Amino acid sequence: MIKVAMTGVYVDDVARAHAFYTDVLGFETRLHRDLGDGILFVTVGAPAGAQPDLQLLLEPGQGPIAGSYRSALYDAGIPCIVFSVDDLRGEYARLRGLGVRFTHPPQRQGPVLAAVFDDTCGNLVQLIQSRE
């Protein structure tokens, strides 16, 4: 069986993204390595053992390919990643209280309730809650 072990998201600044994804979103640090020359290798994951085998790599987003990709997604209003939550309206209120800027408030989208926010690191991120 093949399973997803790690996926990445390009970010403007790995250290700032790490702080946002842990302090604001509530992820836990899985790996944090200084590779020298100011390069960090950082992964985060769901807290408290949820999805222990899945990591999100916070990748430096500089460079022509990453920059073009990120700009195109952002300008089109397309989230780079989707996270699921049990209570979207509750997370929306919590995150807004922490100053997170949402581009789309919670709304029904087919089988899910969805909202989109700016991760402060150059990306739009979608939160979904199953309506089942």
Side-chain angles (χ1 to χ4, degrees):
M1 166 181 22
I2 297 175
K3 298 186 321 181
V4 176
M6 183 182 298
T7 190
V9 60
Y10 291 116
V11 297
D12 291 337
D13 179 295
V14 173
R16 191 174 77 228
H18 181 235
F20 180 83
Y21 279 73
T22 56
D23 297 344
V24 177
L25 297 185
F27 286 94
E28 66 182 17
T29 302
R30 299 282 176 81
L31 291 171
H32 190 286
R33 302 268 192 301
D34 186 337
L35 301 178
D37 295 326
I39 300 170
L40 296 175
F41 184 88
V42 177
T43 68
V44 297
Q51 297 180 305
D53 58 346
L54 180 58
Q55 298 179 72
L56 177 62
L57 174 62
L58 303 174
E59 298 190 65
Q62 295 71 26
I65 295 172
S68 297
Y69 169 76
R70 292 173 62 226
S71 293
L73 284 178
Y74 196 94
D75 293 345
I78 299 171
C80 70
I81 196 161
V82 178
F83 298 130
S84 66
V85 296
D86 294 328
D87 176 11
L88 181 59
R89 293 188 194 286
E91 278 299 311
Y92 175 77
R94 181 184 78 80
L95 292 173
R96 281 188 45 126
L98 293 171
V100 174
R101 184 181 70 83
F102 279 79
T103 60
H104 296 287
Q107 55 190 303
R108 292 177 185 250
Q109 292 183 347
V112 299
L113 185 61
V116 177
F117 65 87
D118 185 311
D119 76 351
T120 74
C121 302
N123 302 295
L124 296 176
V125 175
Q126 187 172 47
L127 297 178
I128 63 166
Q129 175 186 340
S130 176
R131 290 178 37 207
E132 296 178 26

